[in-house]
Amino acid sequence: MRMHPLLTMTLQRLGFGLLTLFAITLLIFFAIELLPGDLAQEVLGQSATPETVAAFRERLGLDQPPVQRYLAWLGGIAQGDLGTSLANGREIAGLLGARLGNTLFLAAYAAAIAVPLALVLGLLAALYRGSWFDRTVNVATLSSISFPEYFVAYILMLLLSVKWGLFPSIADIGPDAGLGTMLYRTFLPALTLVLVVTAHMMRMTRAAIINLLAQPYIEMARLKGASPMRVILRHALPNALAPIINVVALNLAYLVTGVVIVEVVFVYPGLGQLMVDSVTTRDIPLVQACCLVFAGIYILLNLCADLLAIATNPRLMSRR
Amino acid sequence: MTDPLLSIRDLWIEGRQGRDWQPIVKGIDLDLHRGEVLGLIGESGAGKSTLGLAAMGYTRDGTRIAGGDIRFDGQDLLGLSARRRRALRGKRIAYVAQSAAANFNPAHRLIDQYAEAPVAIHHLMKRPEALREAQALYETLRLPNPQEIGFRYPHEVSGGQLQRAMTAMAMACKPDLIIFDEPTTALDVTTQIEVLSAIKGAVREVGTAAIYITHDLAVVAQMADRIKILLRGEEVEEQETSAMLSAPQEDYSRSLWAVRSHAAPARPAPPAEAVPVLRVRDVGAEYTRGTPVLQEVGFDIHAGRTLAVVGESGSGKSTLARVITGLLPPSDGAIELDGAPLPPQLAGRSKDQLRQVQMIYQSADTALNPKQTIREIIGRPIRFYRGLRGAALEDRIRELLTAIELDPDTFIDRRPGALSGGQKQRIGIARALAAEPRVILCDEVTSALDQIVAEGILTLLRRLQEEHDLAYIFITHDLATVRAIADDVVVMQEGRVVEQAPRDAMFAPPHHPYTEQLLGSVPEMDPDWLDRTVAQRAKA
C-alpha cells in the first residue's frame, strides 16, 4: 500500500527532528561541561571541606567520566526522567510543567494578537503599497523591532502602568486567578512581545505578496475583472503562504524561547525565568532540561511550518 | 453599416525607460465589428500586446496611455471609472495569453479559475451552471475527459491542453470580444494545429469578435478576416486577409513574406571514406532506471555540415544534447569524436575534448549571466581553453565580437540586460565560438526570436560554418529552420529515430507517417489550409 505523500513527509521530517534534538543534547551537555569552575565547590561554597565536596561529587555522580554521565542523562531523558534539581532536590519534570504552562500561555496570548495583526497589516500594506498607510505601517513596525525588548518593556511599564495606571507592572498570576484576570495581568508582557514580533511577520507577508504581483497569472486575474482585494486574497496569498508560514513559525518559536528577558522584567513565573534562576544557582540539570524543552519546541514548530507549507502547495501534494 | 464593436482612434501608448517615457504605440487606428477576427502581426517590440491590452482599457506597470480614444460598444473605455472598467473585463472583453502555464494560478484547479469570472466576479450564474458550461466548452475545444479535466491543477495538464482550457476560461462569460495574444507560439506544430482548429471552431460557434496577435503569418492567415501589420508601434498596412496574402502593398509586408521562402542551397554529400567528426552510436539514455528516454539513437555528422534533429517536445531531442555534451552519461552505446571514443562522463573528458564540443542554448536570457559584462562572458572560455591573457585576450574578444557582427566598442562593456534578444543570442554564439570547437550543438536557438531576427542568426551561423568548417547539430521543432539551414535531417519520436535522410529527400515524399504528420502540421499561407487539413485528418 502506498502512503499519502504528506504522511511520508511527516515521518521523514519527524525523524530529522529527533536527530536534530539528539545533536542538541550533545551540544547542551558538553557546552555546559566546558563551563569553568567546579560545580560541587560552587554549590557548597568556599567554606566546604574537601571531604564534603568529594562526598557531594560522588552523590551526584560527578566523579564519573563525562561520556558516562552523558549517556546516563540521555538514557534518563529517553525514559522521560529529566533528573532532580540540585537546588531543592525536587523532580525537574514537575518543576518544568507549571512553568512551561505559563510560558505557553503568554506566548499564545501574544501570538493570538500578533499573527492576525501582522497578516492583516501585511495584506493591507501590499494592497495599498506606496501609499501613506503602507509607509506608516512600515515605519512603525520597523521602529518597534529596532528597540531592544527590555526597552520596549520598560517604556510600556512607565506609560501604561506607572503614569496612567491601566495595567499592573508585575505579571503576578496566582494559582486561582481566572482567565480574565490572567489576561489582564499579563497584558503588558504580551504587548511587549507583540510589538517585537509583529514587524517581521508583517514585512514578510507584504514582501511575499508584492513579489508575486508581477506574475502573469496575477495579470490574468486582473484581466478577468477581479478587484485589487480579490487579486491579493485569492490569487497572490495562496501562493505566498509558504514563506509566510515559515516566518510565522519562526516568530512563534521566538515567542516561546525568546521570552527570557520579558519574563524577568515583568517577574512572570515562566520557563525563561526559571532558567535564569537556575543559572544563578548553578542548578545544571535544570538548565539542561530548560534548554532541551526550548530546543524541542523550536524544532516542533519548524516541523509544523514545513508540513503546512507543503500542504498548501498542490504541486508537492500530488507528487507521487 | 452598424457601429463597430471596438473603435480605436489615434492611440498613443508610452513606456517608461529610466526617467523618460518613450512611445510604444504611435497613433494607431483600429475598427472591429461584431463577429470579426482581426489579425495583428509584427515582430516583438512592435507594440502588438500593448495594443491588445489597451483594447481592454488595461496598461501594464510602466506603460501609460498618452493620448487617443478607445470606444467599446459605444462606451469611452478611458473615461470609465476603474470599477466600471473591471466590470467589462472578463465579462465582455476577455484575454487569452501566450503562456498558459504561467497564466494559470498554480494554487487553484482549472474549473475554479474558469468559474471565477462568471460566478464570483461578475455574478452571471451559479456555480453548478458554470461547471456544466465549462464541461460543454471543454468538449467543444476537444479537451480529453471534459467532465474530469477541470478538477486538475494546472501542473497536471499539458501545455496544449492548458492553452485550450484558457480559451474556455476566456469564453466563460460569452464575451463580445476576445484578445488572443500569441496563443499557440509556445506549442509544437502538431499541438498547434489542434489548438488552432479548436479556437477557430469555438469562435465561429459563439460568434465572438477577436483580435488575434501573432508573429506567424501562416497562423494568422488561418484565423483572421483582416490583417493589420505593425512595425515599431506604427501601422504598416491593413488589408483583407486574401488581399494581404496575394498583394501586400508595402515593402515591409513583402519582406515578411520573403523570409519564409528562404532555403540554403544543398551541399554535396561528403566522400564515403571520410571520418565523421562526431558519431553517435546506438545511444540509449534514461533518467530513472527502466524508463528509457532515448533508444538506439545513431547518426554521423561531418565537418562543415549541419544535421537537424526534429521532433515534438518529449521526443528526446534535448536529452540527446545532454548525452552528447556529457551531462547525462548514456546507458547504452557510445559517442565518437574523430573516430576516437569520447568518455561518457563530462568529468572524464579532457580539456581538449571539452573544447571541441560546444553548445548554444534556446534561451539566451537565462544562458548568459546577467551580472557579467560581455567581456567576461566571452573572455572566460578563451582564458580557460586557450590560456590567453591581457592584450591578446582583449584582441580575441574584439575579434569574436566583430565575427558576430556586433561593434566591439559599443558592446564589450555592456551587460546582457542592455541587449536585444537577437544580440544576446549572438553573444551566445560568440561564447561557443571562443572555444574554437569542431561541433556546436544548437538547441532551439532561434525559436525564441522573431522571424527576421532569426533569419539574421541563421545567416550568421551559416557564414561561421563556412569560415571555420564547423559541424552543427541543430535541435529544433521548426521545420522552416530545418529547410533554411540543414544538410541532413534526423526525425525523432518517443526517443527513437524514425527517419534519417538528406534534407531534400526528407522534404520530398514518401515520408515516414510521423514525418508526414509533422510536415503536414506546419501552417501554410493558404487561408483554407487549416480547415482542409483538419477535415482530411478527420477523414483518415
Side-chain angles (χ1 to χ4, degrees), chain B residues 271-315:
Chain B
E273 70 279 7
V275 177
V277 58
L278 193 84
R279 167 169 284 173
V280 175
R281 229 168 11 104
D282 298 330
V283 157
E286 51 194 29
Y287 290 105
T288 44
R289 196 168 287 274
T291 46
V293 186
L294 293 181
Q295 290 181 70
E296 295 165 31
V297 173
F299 51 79
D300 290 349
I301 170 152
H302 291 267
R305 288 179 74 83
T306 301
L307 174 86
V309 179
V310 295
E312 53 192 286
S313 62
S315 60

Side-chain angles (χ1 to χ4, degrees), chain A:
Chain A
M1 200 188 88
R2 181 175 278 150
M3 281 196 293
H4 191 273
L6 198 60
L7 186 63
T8 334
M9 202 90 73
T10 311
L11 293 177
Q12 212 175 32
R13 296 291 161 104
L14 213 56
F16 278 122
L18 285 176
L19 209 65
T20 318
L21 207 57
F22 170 72
I24 287 169
T25 60
L26 277 172
L27 266 178
I28 294 174
F29 188 87
F30 290 100
I32 287 174
E33 199 62 28
L34 287 177
L35 288 179
D38 182 79
L39 177 66
Q41 191 77 60
E42 293 284 334
V43 172
L44 295 177
Q46 291 295 326
S47 55
T49 61
E51 290 74 38
T52 39
V53 172
F56 186 75
R57 290 171 62 95
E58 199 179 340
R59 186 160 63 79
L60 294 180
L62 288 176
D63 49 346
Q64 308 276 321
V67 176
Q68 216 163 346
R69 276 186 287 131
Y70 170 72
L71 289 177
W73 179 59
L74 196 63
I77 294 170
Q79 293 163 31
D81 174 18
L82 291 169
T84 51
S85 160
L86 290 187
N88 51 24
R90 284 166 61 188
E91 284 281 317
I92 287 177
L95 277 174
L96 282 183
R99 295 298 194 105
L100 180 62
N102 286 344
T103 293
L104 290 180
F105 171 77
L106 183 58
Y109 188 6
I113 303 172
V115 174
L117 183 71
L119 291 183
V120 169
L121 286 181
L123 285 173
L124 290 177
L127 185 59
Y128 301 110
R129 62 195 172 283
S131 69
W132 63 266
F133 173 80
D134 182 21
R135 275 175 237 162
T136 314
V137 170
N138 268 307
V139 168
T141 49
L142 254 191
S143 334
S144 75
I145 207 177
S146 313
F147 294 122
E149 48 204 316
Y150 57 84
F151 180 76
V152 175
Y154 282 124
I155 292 289
L156 287 179
M157 216 186 265
L158 177 70
L159 292 180
L160 295 182
S161 173
V162 179
K163 277 217 162 151
W164 303 330
L166 293 174
F167 294 97
S169 66
I170 290 185
D172 172 26
I173 47 166
D176 49 347
L179 183 64
T181 325
M182 296 233 317
L183 289 178
Y184 171 70
R185 289 189 185 158
T186 55
F187 182 74
L188 283 189
L191 186 60
T192 310
L193 289 171
V194 166
L195 287 178
V196 172
V197 298
T198 302
H200 196 187
M201 292 188 284
M202 173 262 155
R203 291 174 68 81
M204 191 54 171
T205 306
R206 176 182 180 277
I209 286 180
I210 288 182
N211 229 339
L212 289 174
L213 292 183
Q215 293 291 326
Y217 57 77
I218 297 293
E219 177 168 273
M220 180 50 85
R222 291 188 182 131
L223 292 174
K224 278 156 82 177
S227 64
M229 187 60 125
R230 186 177 178 84
V231 166
I232 284 193
L233 285 183
R234 179 134 179 98
H235 291 274
L237 186 60
N239 292 292
L241 278 179
I244 295 176
I245 288 171
N246 267 307
V247 163
V248 168
L250 265 182
N251 280 283
L252 290 184
Y254 177 79
L255 280 180
V256 179
T257 60
V259 291
V260 177
I261 293 169
V262 172
E263 284 185 357
V264 172
V265 169
F266 290 99
V267 203
Y268 181 77
L271 203 54
Q273 212 190 30
L274 178 67
M275 188 162 150
V276 172
D277 289 346
S278 49
V279 168
T280 39
T281 58
R282 286 256 166 188
D283 196 346
I284 299 304
L286 195 49
V287 175
Q288 288 173 335
C290 287
C291 285
L292 202 60
V293 169
F294 280 144
I297 290 174
Y298 211 90
I299 292 172
L300 197 67
L301 280 170
N302 277 297
L303 174 81
C304 292
D306 278 0
L307 293 176
L308 268 176
I310 292 164
T312 58
N313 187 338
R315 236 173 241 263
L316 296 177
M317 283 296 283
S318 64
R319 185 183 289 163
R320 269 172 270 272

Side-chain angles (χ1 to χ4, degrees), chain B residues 62 116 141 172 199 283 286 334 426 436 445 474 497 516 520 532:
Chain B
E116 185 180 18
L141 286 157
I199 290 178
V283 157
E286 51 194 29
R426 281 169 192 260
E436 300 176 24
V445 289
F474 227 89
V497 173
E516 178 92 43
R532 200 180 58 228

Side-chain angles (χ1 to χ4, degrees), chain B residues 148-346:
Chain B
E148 178 271 334
I149 195 165
F151 295 94
R152 297 199 203 162
Y153 283 99
H155 71 273
E156 299 171 320
V157 179
S158 79
Q161 292 171 0
L162 270 186
Q163 207 69 44
R164 278 176 271 177
M166 184 152 62
T167 306
M169 184 161 86
M171 294 179 156
C173 298
K174 302 179 189 66
D176 299 302
L177 169 62
I178 302 181
I179 317 287
F180 290 97
D181 192 351
E182 307 248 16
T184 61
T185 305
L187 305 176
D188 292 318
V189 278
T190 42
T191 318
Q192 167 170 284
I193 187 169
E194 289 170 26
V195 176
L196 283 181
S197 75
I199 290 178
K200 190 168 185 177
V203 167
R204 201 180 278 157
E205 201 164 292
V206 186
T208 311
I211 294 181
Y212 198 98
I213 298 170
T214 177
H215 66 262
D216 189 330
L217 294 159
V219 165
V220 84
Q222 311 309 316
M223 308 303 284
D225 303 315
R226 275 184 300 140
I227 295 177
K228 185 195 276 293
I229 299 180
L230 297 184
L231 174 64
R232 287 184 223 108
E234 286 175 274
E235 177 176 326
V236 176
E237 66 177 307
E238 181 181 321
Q239 298 250 20
E240 298 290 320
T241 299
S242 54
M244 181 70 97
L245 293 176
S246 55
Q249 298 296 307
E250 302 292 323
D251 288 344
Y252 178 72
S253 317
R254 274 195 290 272
S255 78
L256 285 175
W257 269 239
V259 166
R260 299 196 65 87
S261 48
H262 180 97
R267 279 185 278 228
E273 70 279 7
V275 177
V277 58
L278 193 84
R279 167 169 284 173
V280 175
R281 229 168 11 104
D282 298 330
V283 157
E286 51 194 29
Y287 290 105
T288 44
R289 196 168 287 274
T291 46
V293 186
L294 293 181
Q295 290 181 70
E296 295 165 31
V297 173
F299 51 79
D300 290 349
I301 170 152
H302 291 267
R305 288 179 74 83
T306 301
L307 174 86
V309 179
V310 295
E312 53 192 286
S313 62
S315 60
K317 304 188 301 282
S318 295
T319 305
L320 178 63
R322 291 173 60 88
V323 170
I324 294 174
T325 51
L327 289 171
L328 179 73
S331 56
D332 236 332
I335 295 162
E336 290 169 12
L337 187 70
D338 280 326
L342 202 55
Q345 298 265 11
L346 192 61

